[in-house]
Amino acid sequence: MIKMMLIAGAGGFVGTCGRFLIGKWSDGMFHGTFPLGTFLVNIIGCFIIGIFFGILEKSHVMTTGENVLLITGFCGGFTTFSSFADDIWKLGNNGDWMTCLFYFLATVILGVLLVWGGRAIIR
């Protein structure tokens, strides 16, 4: 358990550093109001987690340690949006459209409301 946690933490460290660097790079390249850094990290993370899960599903060549390092650690540190997007894909792919729609709407709506609520409490 501790070993897997450390492996996830190592992957998370690299993912977090990547997120930080992309954010800084995009701030220097783009000066508009669109959150380009977050957008780039989210879409890149979705592509990367799609590749990792595709490898895992197609060939089963990924060990438990690699899964924890790359998917849980790296992708989790880079962006948790990638996990959210993969959950939505799996629910839709399984035909569980009601759960898919509920999960999507509840996550987005409650997420925004809770950010608002947290900010309102601190004001």
Side-chain angles (χ1 to χ4, degrees):
M1 174 77 148
I2 297 294
K3 179 182 176 185
M4 288 296 128
M5 207 166 52
L6 292 172
I7 290 171
F13 174 77
V14 173
T16 300
C17 290
R19 180 177 66 219
F20 175 80
L21 292 172
I22 289 173
K24 291 299 177 191
W25 172 81
S26 68
D27 287 347
M29 297 295 291
F30 182 74
H31 303 291
T33 59
F34 185 78
L36 182 64
T38 302
F39 176 75
L40 288 174
V41 164
N42 285 339
I43 62 169
I44 291 166
C46 288
F47 182 66
I48 291 171
I49 204 169
I51 288 172
F52 290 156
F53 272 123
I55 290 168
L56 190 61
E57 290 168 357
K58 183 175 182 167
S59 61
H60 304 286
V61 296
M62 198 177 288
T63 67
T64 302
E66 292 167 338
N67 183 325
V68 168
L69 176 73
L70 298 172
I71 296 173
T72 304
F74 177 78
C75 288
F78 193 63
T79 172
T80 58
F81 184 80
S82 59
S83 296
F84 169 69
D86 186 67
D87 288 342
I88 294 293
W89 183 87
K90 282 189 279 189
L91 289 167
N93 191 53
N94 291 336
D96 195 353
W97 296 108
M98 291 306 294
T99 304
C100 181
L101 182 62
F102 174 76
Y103 179 54
F104 176 81
L105 292 173
T107 300
V108 172
I109 292 168
L110 285 173
V112 172
L113 286 173
L114 289 169
V115 165
W116 171 81
R119 287 172 165 250
I121 288 170
I122 298 304
R123 283 188 215 152

